[in-house]
């Protein structure tokens, strides 16, 4: 499809920077998820949090917490 669009220079700059901003946000979210995995793994060594994780997994649409030998992993659902 071909065509033209007229937008302000300010909006053009925002659009131009959108990919970089999205990539930066994605990297920050992945880093936060890794930090949460470490924290949840720490909690597993202090207390049985399995019932809480199971309840979280039932209610969450976007992610799941998986415990494997005392280590927590956060799995993000692609479809949500």
């Amino acid at each position: 499809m071909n065509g033209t669009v007229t937008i302000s220079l300010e909006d053009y700059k925002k659009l131009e920077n959108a990919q970089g901003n999205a990539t930066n946000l994605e990297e920050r979210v992945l880093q936060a998820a890794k930090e949460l995995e470490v924290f949840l793994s720490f909690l597993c060594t202090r207390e049985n949090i399995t019932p809480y994780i199971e309840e979280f997994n039932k209610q969450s649409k976007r992610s799941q917490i998986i415990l494997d030998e005392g280590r927590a992993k956060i799995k993000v659902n692609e479809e949500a």
Side-chain angles (χ1 to χ4, degrees), residues 15 19 23 30 41-42 61 63:
L15 182 61
Q19 178 63 41
T23 301
L30 290 174
S41 296
F42 168 77
K61 296 178 183 175
S63 63

Side-chain angles (χ1 to χ4, degrees), residues 8-79:
S8 70
L9 188 55
E10 181 181 344
D11 288 342
Y12 174 75
K13 288 294 184 186
K14 287 180 185 176
L15 182 61
E16 194 174 48
N17 294 331
Q19 178 63 41
N21 293 342
T23 301
N24 186 354
L25 179 59
E26 182 179 11
E27 289 171 359
R28 290 174 39 213
V29 167
L30 290 174
Q31 183 61 38
K34 287 180 183 180
E35 290 175 1
L36 286 170
E37 288 176 354
V38 171
F39 178 67
L40 289 170
S41 296
F42 168 77
L43 286 179
C44 287
T45 65
R46 303 289 186 246
E47 185 177 325
N48 181 15
I49 63 170
T50 304
Y52 305 111
I53 290 176
E54 289 172 354
E55 187 61 32
F56 173 85
N57 288 340
K58 286 179 189 175
Q59 294 184 27
S60 178
K61 296 178 183 175
R62 292 184 172 79
S63 63
Q64 277 196 319
I65 299 171
I66 301 166
L67 290 179
D68 184 25
E69 298 181 11
R71 298 192 68 169
K73 290 288 179 186
I74 297 174
K75 179 184 169 202
V76 177
N77 298 333
E78 299 293 327
E79 298 174 2

